[in-house]
Amino acid sequence: QMSAEGKTSQAAPPPGYSSRAMDRRSRLRRLAGVGTRFLIVGGISTLIEVGAFNLFVYVFGWDLVVGKIAASLVALINAYFGNREWAFRGRDRRGRGAEIVLFLGVNLVCTLLGAGIVWLGAEVIEGVTGHGPGPALVNIVNLASIAVIVVVRFVLYHYVVFRHSPQDAPTDARA
């Protein structure tokens, strides 16, 4: 619209519109993109972990917990590079060494939590059935542990390992 002075005026925003709502939608859209890439990397890492777990436990005869830990470590290699270079690619690069230490620390916690879930699940199944779980039930418990760990891992990657740099952090526009 043109004003009497010949200047273009902007139309009033629609009712209920606020810049905070737009900022929130924009942040949610970015978070959904990061989350989607994280899940794709995680899906590939999960396939690697499940394959390695079955190889270690059912081909090599390793203990369930040892097999779970070893399989998680194998999958971590894919997870680090996929998350650093793709899922969280635009994030602060605080230095490869510090980032790897944080990544390994988060994944140590997640690996131990996952192994604990597998151990507890196998113990519960044995307590209920009176015998050790077979491969199908062990894999169901393993997949359940992975589902729990995905949520924990995303939150820790997002806020700790691959965080935004302070200058990229969203600011409060109400100043």
Side-chain angles (χ1 to χ4, degrees):
Q1 296 178 2
M2 295 291 272
S3 68
E5 294 84 36
K7 295 181 182 175
T8 305
S9 66
Q10 294 183 354
Y17 170 86
S18 76
S19 62
R20 284 178 65 170
M22 285 299 288
D23 290 344
R24 186 176 306 123
R25 283 193 290 271
S26 178
R27 281 194 305 271
L28 286 174
R29 219 177 0 264
R30 283 192 308 269
L31 185 61
V34 170
T36 300
R37 290 187 302 271
F38 169 82
L39 288 174
I40 291 168
V41 170
I44 293 167
S45 296
T46 298
L47 291 174
I48 292 168
E49 183 173 340
V50 170
F53 176 77
N54 281 282
L55 179 71
F56 296 152
V57 171
Y58 296 111
V59 174
F60 298 154
W62 293 11
D63 174 75
L64 286 177
V65 173
V66 172
K68 173 67 175 177
I69 292 169
S72 294
L73 294 174
V74 170
L76 275 180
I77 296 166
N78 178 74
Y80 176 76
F81 288 105
N83 281 298
R84 168 70 276 166
E85 302 303 329
W86 188 51
F88 296 94
R89 68 180 175 257
R91 299 294 180 94
D92 183 29
R93 291 188 183 254
R94 70 183 82 206
R96 184 76 72 176
E99 188 175 86
I100 288 173
V101 167
L102 286 170
F103 181 84
L104 291 174
V106 163
N107 283 288
L108 174 63
V109 168
C110 290
T111 298
L112 294 174
L113 181 58
I117 292 169
V118 167
W119 172 81
L120 182 62
E123 291 294 312
V124 167
I125 291 168
E126 186 170 342
V128 169
T129 64
H131 56 81
L137 287 177
V138 166
N139 276 287
I140 289 169
V141 170
N142 187 36
L143 289 171
S145 78
I146 291 168
V148 170
I149 297 308
V150 162
V151 174
V152 173
R153 195 171 266 140
F154 179 76
V155 168
L156 292 173
Y157 284 3
H158 184 69
Y159 291 107
V160 177
V161 179
F162 303 116
R163 69 174 195 252
H164 284 285
S165 62
Q167 70 268 18
D168 294 339
T171 59
D172 191 348
R174 290 181 285 173

